[in-house]
Amino acid sequence: MIKNINIRTKSRNEFVDITSELQTLIDEAGIKGGICLVYVPHTTAGVTINEGADPSVVKDIQNTLSKLVPREGHYLHSEGNSDAHVKATLAGSSQSIIIDGGKLLLGTWQSVFFCEFDGPRHRRVTVKIVSD
Amino acid sequence: MIKNINIRTKSRNEFVDITSELQTLIDEAGIKGGICLVYVPHTTAGVTINEGADPSVVKDIQNTLSKLVPREGHYLHSEGNSDAHVKATLAGSSQSIIIDGGKLLLGTWQSVFFCEFDGPRHRRVTVKIVSD
Amino acid sequence: MIKNINIRTKSRNEFVDITSELQTLIDEAGIKGGICLVYVPHTTAGVTINEGADPSVVKDIQNTLSKLVPREGHYLHSEGNSDAHVKATLAGSSQSIIIDGGKLLLGTWQSVFFCEFDGPRHRRVTVKIVSD
């Protein structure tokens, strides 16, 4: 089963919590056990799992990445978004999450975040749910 | 099949080799071919695959991450562990490893490491073994 | 189904586009839907997904990683390639890609790159194709 989640980001750097959208897809599929593969088909965006309770945490992650990989620099790529490509590689293009008892088996503080590094844009997350 | 590995870390930053525990779970399950999904349900810890022969290698990785993402900084999150959250995103929350002939198909020098970034703590690694 | 792709790198840092080799393996296996797990069994190399159209992009990623993790530094590991080990952890050892309609479900600009961080060397990428 492959489904898409459509996202409209509003800033250049923005982490969007997609945990509830993922859980809805699993509920709709009626799958009790398996693996949820969350895949980002973009080269200036990624996906990560981190704390969702305090929004300061993802802000700190964004700020730290921007400090490590500044927007301006001696980049060769002429589109002015090389920083976003580097961040995409650092965050990663996919996350694999266990499904157990019909639920994403996330830790207490974990949420799944789409990571926008070159917004605002219309984006897509592709989700494959593999049943046991 | 889902199993947990319990870990007690002793330092703030510490990489714990869990390769033999993973192999034991595969042996106990009697699975010959498939995929082993190693998942960390924490937001200040991660999992990576790197050299296990010389313990200096993971020390160098820890030291480099701490240099890139210092403990003290202009962080918004008030718990004093924003660095650990950033490192968790850089290392990643999961690793997928091929099982072949009943063994983890690791390279000669590869070991699987639980990455503690905010210890000492009691931690858990969740493992799902998917048989072919 | 497990297959290997053999790679001969020519520089210390080099990203090798393996997208067409992966697609060939899927074609040969005749698999229409599933997951392609791309695994690097080395500790000084990794695999990432990023832009394949403009070769400047992966050059910028390599240069940025080398700036963040310099070859020379206060490293403990005596083989002189600690930087490569750190980069391997940052890039990651595997990528999971959805297969749909017999094709890798990559985004328009995405290619899959083997990341050499300590070449030139003979390298191997192990690929497991899991059919639905």
Side-chain angles (χ1 to χ4, degrees), chain B residues 4-34:
Chain B
N4 287 305
I5 297 171
N6 292 301
I7 297 170
R8 174 78 187 263
T9 57
K10 296 175 211 98
S11 316
R12 183 147 201 273
N13 287 280
E14 181 182 347
F15 282 20
V16 182
D17 191 331
I18 57 170
T19 315
S20 65
E21 283 85 348
L22 293 173
Q23 186 58 53
T24 300
L25 290 180
I26 294 165
D27 293 346
E28 287 173 0
I31 285 168
K32 296 302 167 202

Side-chain angles (χ1 to χ4, degrees), chain A residues 46-65:
Chain A
V47 56
T48 195
I49 297 174
N50 217 297
E51 184 182 320
D54 176 3
S56 296
V57 171
V58 294
K59 262 287 167 201
D60 283 335
I61 298 172
Q62 289 168 55
N63 292 344
T64 306
L65 289 176

Side-chain angles (χ1 to χ4, degrees), chain C:
Chain C
M1 209 211 75
I2 300 172
K3 295 276 178 183
N4 287 305
I5 297 171
N6 292 302
I7 296 169
R8 174 78 187 264
T9 58
K10 294 175 214 98
S11 316
R12 184 147 201 273
N13 287 280
E14 182 181 347
F15 282 21
V16 182
D17 190 332
I18 56 170
T19 315
S20 66
E21 281 86 348
L22 293 172
Q23 187 57 53
T24 300
L25 291 180
I26 294 166
D27 293 345
E28 287 172 0
I31 285 167
K32 296 302 168 202
I35 288 173
C36 178
L37 174 57
V38 185
Y39 186 84
V40 171
H42 306 287
T43 58
T44 53
V47 56
T48 195
I49 297 173
N50 217 298
E51 185 181 321
D54 176 4
S56 296
V57 171
V58 295
K59 262 287 167 201
D60 282 335
I61 298 172
Q62 290 168 55
N63 292 344
T64 306
L65 289 176
S66 294
K67 215 166 139 184
L68 292 173
V69 188
R71 183 166 186 179
E72 309 294 333
H74 297 287
Y75 298 118
L76 303 167
H77 183 54
S78 58
E79 290 181 25
N81 61 355
S82 287
D83 61 323
H85 286 288
V86 179
K87 290 173 178 180
T89 279
L90 292 177
S93 301
S94 72
Q95 294 291 339
S96 294
I97 308 158
I98 299 166
I99 303 168
D100 189 39
K103 301 283 167 204
L104 285 172
L105 204 61
L106 296 168
T108 314
W109 304 102
Q110 286 184 322
S111 291
V112 186
F113 291 94
F114 171 81
C115 309
E116 174 64 85
F117 297 124
D118 192 29
R121 292 204 197 200
H122 287 279
R123 298 292 204 173
R124 197 171 78 240
V125 174
T126 308
V127 183
K128 184 173 174 87
I129 301 176
V130 182
S131 182
D132 283 340

Side-chain angles (χ1 to χ4, degrees), chain B residues 2 9 14-18 41 68 70 82 112 116-117 119 122:
Chain B
I2 300 172
T9 57
E14 181 182 347
F15 282 20
V16 182
D17 191 331
I18 57 170
L68 292 173
S82 287
V112 186
E116 175 65 85
F117 297 123
H122 287 278

Side-chain angles (χ1 to χ4, degrees), chain A residues 63-130:
Chain A
N63 292 344
T64 306
L65 289 176
S66 294
K67 216 166 138 185
L68 291 172
V69 189
R71 183 166 186 180
E72 310 293 335
H74 297 288
Y75 299 118
L76 303 168
H77 183 53
S78 59
E79 290 181 25
N81 62 355
S82 286
D83 61 325
H85 286 289
V86 179
K87 290 173 177 180
T89 279
L90 292 177
S93 300
S94 72
Q95 294 290 340
S96 295
I97 309 158
I98 299 166
I99 304 168
D100 189 39
K103 301 284 168 204
L104 285 172
L105 204 61
L106 296 167
T108 314
W109 304 103
Q110 285 184 323
S111 291
V112 185
F113 291 94
F114 172 80
C115 307
E116 174 65 84
F117 297 123
D118 192 30
R121 293 205 197 199
H122 288 279
R123 297 291 203 174
R124 198 171 77 240
V125 174
T126 307
V127 183
K128 184 173 175 89
I129 301 176
V130 182

